[in-house]
Amino acid sequence: MTYETGFVRAGRSSIPHLDPERVRRELTIIRDDLHCTAVQIVGGDPQRLELAAHTAAELGLEIWFSPYPMDLPADEINALFLDCAERAERLRAAGAEVVFVAGVELSLMNLGFIDGDRIEQRLDRLLGDPQGRGERIAEVRARLDAFLRTAVPAIRARFHGKVTYAAIPFEGVDWDLFDVVTVELIRNAAVADRFRAGVRELAAQPKPLAITGFGTATWQGAGDVAPRSMEIIEYDDATGEPVRINGVYQRDEAGQAAYLSELLEIFDSEGVDSAFVHLFALDSLPHRPDGDPRDDLDLASPGIVKVFADRSGDTYPGLPWEPKAAFAAVADRYRA
């Protein structure tokens, strides 16, 4: 399971306050009720990552310590990684099972690999014009490769456990740099007929294979367009904060649950070593069941729980969310 501690962009966190007691309760639920044995802890604040990872270690979970920079230049990414590598090493040296994730989708999520200040601009620059797309992708690969060849040895000087990188397939990562092959692998309608074969091919290479980033939003048809199923949000131009849904969509928790069940079955049967559902909760996209349907930002959320902005849920009193159907689907998949 992937667990968010707050994505940081322009100095603002998607979770303004991280409650340590809530972290402990949720990680315990991930272990006991979802039957997960490992958790990928993501976010942009090193202290929060360490807090959640320490709690996960106390609960006996394997930790994938995953700093997630957003819209940062290379020097700031490196500084974040080195800080986190030292924190992760303290946990590993104390006996925790820790894998260090040296970034997630760096080329799209950050500055300096593709032109553009925001991810929407970078995506358009990379994929918008078919003419020259191959050359642009080759250029991105070269820039990312150069970055990783400097960053990874510096991380290994501070962290002495396994290191990986959560890659988008087009990034063409040299896996000789890493101990685990980790791919953000998301099925959509265009690749559904060959998705299983692609997983099988990846699993056949000699290193352990982990799949991260897979999931879909909670509206009908979202699985057909994943990984772009979150692109139904309108954002504030000044702050970049999500404001509303851009149209009318039908909630489809059963569809989200079926999507995750199908992918987990494929990963299990085709020899994937580790799989991390994206993700447990997304506080920045709250569920608003009353009023204008366009205000229900949870429709765009891949979270397996729906987070309330102003109240607690009933299933786990004191926690501000209710499980979606996808929660039960994950739990049932790994129930003893």
Side-chain angles (χ1 to χ4, degrees), residues 261-281:
S261 293
E262 291 163 10
L263 265 62
L264 288 169
E265 187 281 323
I266 291 171
F267 299 152
D268 283 345
S269 62
E270 298 300 340
V272 172
D273 185 75
S274 304
F276 296 89
V277 174
H278 184 78
L279 76 173
F280 184 74

Side-chain angles (χ1 to χ4, degrees), residues 233-236 239-244 284-286 288 297:
I233 303 172
E234 293 180 0
Y235 293 90
D236 184 281
T239 66
E241 297 296 318
V243 177
R244 66 181 66 85
S284 58
L285 300 180
R288 300 184 179 111
L297 292 173

Side-chain angles (χ1 to χ4, degrees), residues 41-44 49 65-69 80-81 84-85 100-104 106:
I41 298 174
V42 299
L49 287 166
F65 199 110
S66 187
Y68 199 121
L80 174 65
F81 285 176
C84 288
F100 190 87
V101 184
V104 180
L106 287 175

